[in-house]
């Protein structure tokens, strides 16, 4: 797995990556939404129709590959 990288180097094409959100002290999956400029974690939407945001991540890394022996 790669090292953590600054969020400004993250893919901005909708690719799901791992992000670190220091305000919540959590690591989670998210993708950059070009429409809103936010980092949603899934396709859930708020009552206002906006993607649910994970917060303001500071770092990212690619998702790991699944185990080779996974069934």
């Amino acid at each position: 797995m790669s090292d953590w990288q600054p969020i400004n180097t993250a893919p901005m094409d909708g690719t799901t990556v791992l992000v670190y959100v220091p305000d919540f002290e959590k690591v989670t999956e998210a993708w950059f939404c070009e429409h809103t400029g936010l980092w949603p974690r899934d396709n859930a939407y708020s009552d206002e129709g906006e993607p649910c945001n994970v917060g303001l991540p500071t770092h990212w890394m690619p998702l790991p590959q699944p185990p080779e022996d996974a069934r």
Side-chain angles (χ1 to χ4, degrees), residues 5-40:
Q5 301 171 49
I7 198 66
N8 64 344
T9 65
M12 302 294 184
D13 61 358
T15 300
T16 300
V17 296
L18 288 178
V19 295
Y20 176 67
V21 184
D23 291 342
F24 303 111
E25 296 182 354
K26 71 177 178 178
V27 172
T28 189
E29 292 182 15
W31 52 275
F32 181 76
C33 178
E34 186 177 351
H35 174 69
T36 64
L38 301 175
W39 288 88

Side-chain angles (χ1 to χ4, degrees), residues 46-69:
S46 70
D47 292 339
E48 293 79 30
E50 295 294 327
C52 292
N53 184 29
V54 300
L56 298 173
T58 58
H59 291 80
W60 76 281
M61 69 169 49
L63 293 174
Q65 293 296 316
E68 289 184 24
D69 61 352

